[in-house]
Amino acid sequence: MNSIVRDMDLKDEGLQKIEWVRRHMPLLDALEARFVKEQPFAGLRVALSIHLEAKTARLALLLKAGGADMHVTGSNPLSTQDAIAAALASQGVRVCAYHAATPEEYHAHLTQTLSCKPHIVVDDGGDLVHILHEERHDLAECVLGGCEETTTGVLRLRARARESKLNFPMVCVNDAMMKYLFDNRYGTGQSVWDGIMRTTNLIVAGTTVVVAGYGWCGKGVAMRAKGLGAQVIVTEVDPVRAVEAVMDGFDVMPMDDAAELGDLFITVTGCNDVIVERHFEKMKEGALLCNAGHFDVEVAVEKLKRFADSHAPARANIEGYRLPNGRTVYLIAQGRLVNLAAGDGHPAEIMDISFALQALCAEYVARHAQSLPRGEVREVPREIDAQVARMKLESLGLSIDALTEKQAQYLASWAGE
Amino acid sequence: MNSIVRDMDLKDEGLQKIEWVRRHMPLLDALEARFVKEQPFAGLRVALSIHLEAKTARLALLLKAGGADMHVTGSNPLSTQDAIAAALASQGVRVCAYHAATPEEYHAHLTQTLSCKPHIVVDDGGDLVHILHEERHDLAECVLGGCEETTTGVLRLRARARESKLNFPMVCVNDAMMKYLFDNRYGTGQSVWDGIMRTTNLIVAGTTVVVAGYGWCGKGVAMRAKGLGAQVIVTEVDPVRAVEAVMDGFDVMPMDDAAELGDLFITVTGCNDVIVERHFEKMKEGALLCNAGHFDVEVAVEKLKRFADSHAPARANIEGYRLPNGRTVYLIAQGRLVNLAAGDGHPAEIMDISFALQALCAEYVARHAQSLPRGEVREVPREIDAQVARMKLESLGLSIDALTEKQAQYLASWAGE
Amino acid sequence: MNSIVRDMDLKDEGLQKIEWVRRHMPLLDALEARFVKEQPFAGLRVALSIHLEAKTARLALLLKAGGADMHVTGSNPLSTQDAIAAALASQGVRVCAYHAATPEEYHAHLTQTLSCKPHIVVDDGGDLVHILHEERHDLAECVLGGCEETTTGVLRLRARARESKLNFPMVCVNDAMMKYLFDNRYGTGQSVWDGIMRTTNLIVAGTTVVVAGYGWCGKGVAMRAKGLGAQVIVTEVDPVRAVEAVMDGFDVMPMDDAAELGDLFITVTGCNDVIVERHFEKMKEGALLCNAGHFDVEVAVEKLKRFADSHAPARANIEGYRLPNGRTVYLIAQGRLVNLAAGDGHPAEIMDISFALQALCAEYVARHAQSLPRGEVREVPREIDAQVARMKLESLGLSIDALTEKQAQYLASWAGE
Amino acid sequence: MNSIVRDMDLKDEGLQKIEWVRRHMPLLDALEARFVKEQPFAGLRVALSIHLEAKTARLALLLKAGGADMHVTGSNPLSTQDAIAAALASQGVRVCAYHAATPEEYHAHLTQTLSCKPHIVVDDGGDLVHILHEERHDLAECVLGGCEETTTGVLRLRARARESKLNFPMVCVNDAMMKYLFDNRYGTGQSVWDGIMRTTNLIVAGTTVVVAGYGWCGKGVAMRAKGLGAQVIVTEVDPVRAVEAVMDGFDVMPMDDAAELGDLFITVTGCNDVIVERHFEKMKEGALLCNAGHFDVEVAVEKLKRFADSHAPARANIEGYRLPNGRTVYLIAQGRLVNLAAGDGHPAEIMDISFALQALCAEYVARHAQSLPRGEVREVPREIDAQVARMKLESLGLSIDALTEKQAQYLASWAGE
C-alpha cells in the first residue's frame, strides 16, 4: 500500500520541521526510549487521523518506533502540510493526505488509511470512527480500540455510546486533565492568537473581542485576549460558565447583543450556527470573524456566502463578504480552525503533553485489549494523567513536595485537628 | 434555651452590618420571598456552625424565615464577631458563641447548639458532625441530614463514609461548581489579600509570595497575588496541579527550596505541617507567614512556638517569632484563617452564592429526607447548581444564549458535520 | 513649645506601629546611618505637614537624627492617627495634630507648627506654603526652602510661581521619577483597594469600576482593579491619556455615560466637581463612591449632602445618601482620601522610597540654600533620583548591568552601526 | 528617475496588502481628505526611508496626495517587501529598494533615493541624515528639515547636535507621547510576539523570557510576555527602570545571571553587545535569541558566528549555532528586528497613529521651514500630539470629558480647596 502525497520533493523541508519539534517534545523522546525496547505495538496496525503537521508526524514516528505499522491521514483538508506528509512518507509511514483536498478526496484519504484494517485507531474529531461504523464495517474487523483527541470527537462518541452504536472501546484522551487543562486552554489560547495576528497584522490591544464559548478552549482564548490588551465579551449557553466569565472580568451577553459590539469574533463552542445571518447583519463595518472549534460550522460560512452580495479576497487567507447593508465583514481561513488553517497549530511543547497521553493511551489499548468492554467510552486512567504530569515536571527540571506519611494520614482521617 | 453571647448591647452595630450585607445578597432575598410562602423548614430544628459574621447571620435569618427553629454557633473562636452574635440573638435565633472563646468554651458552644436535637445540621469544617458521631449520639436522634461547606469538611466526611461511620446523609455544598469555582477561587482570592494588606500595611508588588497548594483556593490566592504585582512561587504535592501552576506563569518548587526565597507565605492546602521547623530556619529575616486553610495546622504554629527563642506582638494581629538563628519571622492572626481572623471573610456577593446553595441544599434535605440513603456523602444536584447560576445572572441583569432545537440536536448527534 | 496631641497614653501603640514600619523602610535606615554622622540639619528648624501615620513619624525621626529641630503636623484631619502623634511627641518631636480635628482646629495646628519659624518646610498638598504666603508672613522669615510631596501641591506651587507669588525655593518631590512612578502608581494602586475592600467587604471581581483620572495614580488604581478582576471604565480630560487607557484594555467615556454603569467610583484627578448632582442622579441603586485625590472635592460631597433627601451611616466609615429618585448611593470615608481615611495609607516600602527622596531633597535645600533661586519650583536633581533607585536595588539585594566603555561610546555616537 | 525594485509583477499582491492596511488606518484617511485640498507639500520633494511594508506605503501615498514628489526606500534590507515596493512604484512613487539587498546595494538605494535632492527627509534610524552629512553634502542643498521615527535615530541626532554637526532641523517624532507610548509599547509589544510565535511555533506560557532593556519598547515586550503566561527576567542599566521592572512583578538581574536561566532572549535596548560570548556560553541547550532593537548589534551576531563551531538552518528564519560547549542556541531572523524580519511589523492601527504624527510633522516642517532654527533637534509640538490623540478617539467613536471653566480655574489656582 503506497502513500498518497502531493510532492515527495518537499520531504527535506518537512524533515527539518519535524526535527525542530522533536527537539521540543521531550516527553515523546522519553517514551521512545522505552517503546524501542518494549515494542508495545509489535504486530499492530495503527490508523491515525490528526491534523497533519510536524507534531503529529512526531507522534506517528514514536508509535512506529514502538513497533506499529503506521497508516496516517489528516483530520482537516486545510491543516495538512504537504511537506510534512512527504517527510513522513519518506520514513516508512504510509500517508494518504494532501493540503486543500476536496471533500471527496479528503474522505477518500480517510478510507484509504483505514484500508489497512487497523488494530488501533487514533482519531481527532471522530471521522475514522464514523466511517468504521457507518460506511465500512469490513475495515473494522481487527479493531481492538482507539483514542479520541478532541471535545467534538468525544461528544460524538458519547452520543453514539448512548445509542449503543459504538462497537469498540475508545479512550477519551480529550478528557484527561493533562489534555484539556493544557492543550485546550494554553495551546488553543496561544495558537489562535498566533494565527489571528499573523494573518491580520491588526492590533489586539484596545479592541473588543467576542469569544463564543467559555469551555477550556474558550477560557484560554479569552485569557490571552486579555493578556494582549483586548476587552472581551463572552457568550455562553451554560449559566455556570457564564457566571465564571463575569467573575473573570469579562462582559457576558447573548450573541444578538455582542454582534454589534465586537471588532473580532472567535467561536469555540463545538456547536453549529453560533454566528448566523441576523448577527452578520448587526456587525460593524470591518468586523473580523474566525473559528477555533473543530468544524467549520460555528461561524455559519455557507449562510454567510448566501447572505452576502459578493465576496473577494482581502489579504492572504482573509475573505471580505459584502453584506446587503453595504458593510463588509472579513472571514479568516474560511471559518476553519484558525490556529491550524492560518498557523502551525499548537506549540510543540503542548502537543508533547497531549501526544504523550495519546501514546500511553494507545499502549493501554494495545496491552488491555482483552479486558476493555466493547463499546465503552473510557476515561484516561488517572495514573496515566499523573505519569504524564510527572514526566512534564521532570522535563522542566522541577521537583515538587511529597506528602509525609503523617500528612497522608491526616488527610485520610475524619478526626480533624 | 437561651443564647450565650458576649454582650447584647452590641446588637445595633451587628444589625447594621447584617443590613449592609443583606443589600448585597440578592439571591438570598429572592429565596426568602419563596421560603416565606412555602415554609420548607416548618417544624424543623436546624443547627448551624459557620464563621459567625454578618453573611452567616443573613443565612440563618433566611432559614428562619423559611420556618426553621434556628440554633447557631461559629466555626472558629477567632472568626466569631460578638456584635453579630448579639444581633442574631435579638432576632429570635438561639446563638451560642463568642469571640476568642477558649477551646473548651468553643467546644461547649458546639454541644450547646446541638442540644436542640436538630433535624438538619449545617456544618463548616465538620465539627458538628464529629460531635454527633463521636461524643453525643443522643443529640443525633432526629437528624435527617445536613450540608457541609468546606473542602476540609468534605475530606473528613468522605474519610468517615469510607469507614461506614457516617450515620446520616450529608450534601457536599463545597463540591458544587457554584461553590468551589467562586467561593474558593474569587472569594478566598480577594479576602485573603484584604486580610493581609490591612494587617501588614506592606507592599505586595515586587515581593515574592509563596502559595502552598494550588487547588481552587490556592489558584485564587495566586491569581490575585499576580494581580497585585507579586511574583508567585507555588508548592504542590499533585503533579497535574504543579504543571498547571507552571503554565500559569508561576515558579514551582518544593517548600524546602521556596522557604529561603519567600517574603510572604500563604498556606492553603487542607493539610497539616506544610511549613515546619526546617522551613522556618531557612527563611529570610522578616518573612511573613499566614494561613488560608480551614485549620490552624498548615503553618505548624505549635512547632513554631517551641522552636522560637521568644515571641512578641509586632503589630495588631501579628506576632514576631525570634528564631535560634537570630532571625525573626512574623505570623499573622495566629496562623488561623487569615481572611476571617484578620478580616471580615469573603465578600458578601460571594457568600450570597454559597449560601444560596446552602439554603437550597438544606431545603433539598428537608424535602427528600426519606429518600436519601443514610450515610451517603451526596453531591449537590446539578439542577441546584444551574439554578443558582441562573439566579446570579438574573441578579446581575444579564442574559445568555440558549441552544436552538437544531443546535441541541447537533450536539447530541454522532453524525458530525 | 509643647505638643498638642489627643492622648499621650496611646504612645506605646504608636511606637509599636513605628517600629513595624521602621523594619520595612531600609532606605531611611541607610540614610540615618549617614545623617547621624554628618548632621546635615544641625541648627535647622523643620516644619513638616504630612499625613500623620507611622511612616511619616519615621521620616520625622530620621530628620531629627540628622540634627533637625522637628515640628510636625498632619495634612488631613482624618488621616492623623492619635497613637502616632503621641508616640512621636514622646520622642522629642513637637507635634500639633489630632484625629478628626475641626477645620478650625486643623488650621490652628498648621499655624502652631509654623510658629517655630522654620528654616525648611516639608509640605503635602501645599497648606504650609499657603499660610506662610497668605496669612503669616512673619513666620516665613527664616525659610530657606522646602519640599512638596503631592501632585496637588505641585500644581498649586506652579500656579503661584507663574504669578511670581512664591517667596522661597520649593523642590517638587512629587515629580521625581522615583516618586510618581512608584508612590503614585503602586502605592496608591494598592492602598486604595486595601481601604475599599476592608471598608466595604464587597467583591471586586466582576464589578464595573469607574476610575476618574488616568494619571499615575489613576493608572495604578485601574491596574489593580483589573488585577482584582473588575472591569474598568476610565474617564479623562486629556486625550493622550484617554487613548492610553483604551490601549490598556479599559473602556473610556465621559462621566455622564459612566455614571449609570459603575458599581464603584474612584476619583483621582486632582480636580474638583468630578462627580456632581447630574451624575449621582443616574447612578445605580447601591453605587459606591470614594475619592483617592488629595482634597475631598472630587466627589462633590457638599453637593451630595444638599442633593440627598437624607443620609445615614450604613457601615463603619460608609454613609448612605438617599436621593430624590429613591435610590441610595454610598460614600466611603466622607469623600476623603480613601487610602488614608479608610486605611493606613501607602505600604511602608513605598513610603520608604518617597521619604528617602524627601530626606535627600531636604538635605539638598539645607546644603544649597544659598545657591537656589528664590521663588523657583525646582525639579529633584536627577542624581538624587538615581541614588534612591540604586539604594532601593541594594536593599532588595539586586544588581544590574553597567554599560561598558564601548557601549557608552556607541550610545553617544551618531555614526550608527 | 526610475524605480529600482525586484519584480513589478508582484504589484497586485502589494496593492491588496496596502488596501488592507488602508482600511485600518482611519487617521491617515482623515488627513488625506485635508491634504488633497490644501496640498501642503506642493512642489516639495520628500525622501523617505522607513521599513518598506504596507503601512509605510500608505504613508508615502498620503504625502503624495498632499502634493509631494515622493522618493522612497526601506530602512533595513530584510524588512523590505518586494510586493509592496512594486505596488508603490506602480502608483507614481519612485522606489529604490528590494528585499535582502546586500549592504552595498542597501547603501546604494539610500543614496539613489536622496539623489532627488529632497526638501524634506523622513528618516528611520538615521541613515538618510548620515549620508546627507557625511557622504553627500551635494544632495542636501534643498533640505528644509525632516522627521525621525525611532529611539535609535533620535539618539544619533542628539549626539550630532551636541557636536553641532546637524545642518538642518529634525523633528523627533519618536519622542511624541502618541508615538512612544503607543508604537513603542503596544506596537512592539504585540508585533515582537507575533514574529516569535509564528517563527518558532513554541509555547510562551511557562517559559522564562529574558527582556534586555525596560524602555517603552521593553515594557511592551515584557507586558505581553506576562500576558502570554511567561515568567519574565528584565536586564537594565538604568536603576530607575530596574526598580520599575521589580514593581511590575519581574525578576531583575544582570545578563550574566540571566543568561543561564532564559529560554528565550529578546534584546530591545538601542545598545550594542548586549548578549556576547560569555552569555552564549552559559545558555541552556536550545535557548532562543532574537532582537527587537533597531540595529542587529544587540545580540552580537558576528561574535556568535565566530564563537560557534558551526551553524545551520533549523526552521525557516531560525539558525542553530553549535557552541564549543556542545550546546546549540538558536537565532531568529539573523538578529534583525524580529517583528519586521520575521513578521509584518506593527499592527496597522498603531502605524496609523505614528504615521499621522509623521505626516503632521512633515507638514509642520513644510509650513514652518523658515522659522525653524537650523541644526535643532526639535520636539513634536504638543498640539500635534493632542490633535492625533483626539483624531484617534474620534476614529474609535469615543468622547471624553472636558474641564468646565470652574474646574480649569481650580486647577490653575494656588488657593487650594
Side-chain angles (χ1 to χ4, degrees), chain B residues 72 152 174 179 214 346:
Chain B
V72 170
T152 294
N174 180 74
K179 167 66 169 57
Y214 205 61
H346 288 353

Side-chain angles (χ1 to χ4, degrees), chain D residues 51 74-81 98-103 106-107 336:
Chain D
H51 301 282
S75 62
N76 184 312
L78 279 198
S79 63
T80 294
Q81 299 187 4
Y98 42 76
H99 182 73
T102 64
Y106 171 67
H107 189 269
R336 291 181 186 267

Side-chain angles (χ1 to χ4, degrees), chain C residues 7 20 52 104 114 120 134 212 283 334 350-351 354 391:
Chain C
D7 181 359
W20 175 253
L52 194 44
E104 295 69 32
L114 289 170
I120 295 174
E134 304 303 318
M283 289 181 183
Q334 303 176 35
I350 290 292
M351 295 317 295
S354 295
M391 288 173 72

Side-chain angles (χ1 to χ4, degrees), chain C residues 130 134 152 155-157 159-160 162-163 165 177-178 181-182 185-186 214 216 219 223-224 235-240 242-248 252-257 269-274 278-279 295-297 336 350 353 382 385-390 392-393 396 398-404 406-408 410-417, chain D residues 130 134 152 155-157 159-160 162-163 165 177-178 181-182 185-186 214 216 219 223-224 235-240 242-248 252-257 269-274 278-279 295-297 336 350 353 382 385-390 392-393 396 398-404 406-408 410-417:
Chain C
H130 186 81
E134 304 303 318
T152 294
L155 279 174
R156 293 172 78 188
L157 284 174
R160 187 177 285 281
R162 266 198 306 278
E163 301 184 24
K165 292 193 168 161
M177 285 188 293
M178 289 303 295
L181 290 178
F182 298 90
R185 184 164 40 163
Y186 309 107
Y214 204 61
W216 290 108
K219 283 182 173 72
M223 171 174 70
R224 293 296 172 241
T235 73
E236 248 300 341
V237 296
D238 178 300
V240 175
V243 182
E244 219 179 343
V246 171
M247 298 301 287
D248 284 338
V252 171
M253 63 184 71
M255 184 59 81
D256 282 320
D257 296 344
T269 66
C271 191
N272 64 350
D273 285 345
V274 178
R278 70 178 192 279
H279 305 124
F295 288 118
D296 58 350
V297 298
R336 294 182 183 265
I350 290 292
I353 300 176
R382 277 201 70 114
D385 238 344
Q387 179 185 348
V388 170
R390 283 191 303 266
K392 178 66 187 173
L393 289 174
L396 293 168
L398 299 177
S399 59
I400 61 173
D401 282 317
L403 292 176
T404 64
K406 281 196 176 172
Q407 286 178 313
Y410 176 88
L411 288 177
S413 142
W414 42 262
E417 196 174 351
Chain D
H130 186 81
E134 304 303 317
T152 293
L155 279 174
R156 293 172 78 188
L157 284 174
R160 188 176 284 283
R162 267 198 305 278
E163 302 185 22
K165 291 193 167 160
M177 285 187 294
M178 288 304 293
L181 289 178
F182 298 89
R185 184 164 42 162
Y186 309 106
Y214 204 62
W216 290 107
K219 284 181 172 71
M223 171 174 71
R224 292 297 172 241
T235 73
E236 247 301 339
V237 296
D238 178 301
V240 175
V243 182
E244 219 180 342
V246 170
M247 298 300 289
D248 284 339
V252 171
M253 63 185 72
M255 185 58 82
D256 281 320
D257 297 343
T269 67
C271 190
N272 65 350
D273 286 345
V274 177
R278 71 178 192 281
H279 304 126
F295 288 119
D296 59 349
V297 298
R336 291 181 186 267
I350 291 291
I353 301 176
R382 278 201 69 115
D385 239 344
Q387 179 184 350
V388 170
R390 284 190 303 264
K392 178 65 188 173
L393 288 174
L396 293 168
L398 299 177
S399 60
I400 60 174
D401 282 318
L403 291 176
T404 63
K406 280 196 177 171
Q407 285 177 313
Y410 177 88
L411 287 176
S413 141
W414 43 262
E417 196 175 349

Side-chain angles (χ1 to χ4, degrees), chain A residues 51 120 273 353:
Chain A
H51 302 284
I120 295 175
D273 285 345
I353 300 176

Side-chain angles (χ1 to χ4, degrees), chain A residues 47-68:
Chain A
L48 180 152
S49 156
I50 300 184
H51 302 284
L52 194 42
E53 38 85 28
K55 282 93 68 181
T56 301
R58 176 67 189 95
L59 171 64
L61 292 172
L62 165 64
L63 298 179
K64 182 172 181 297

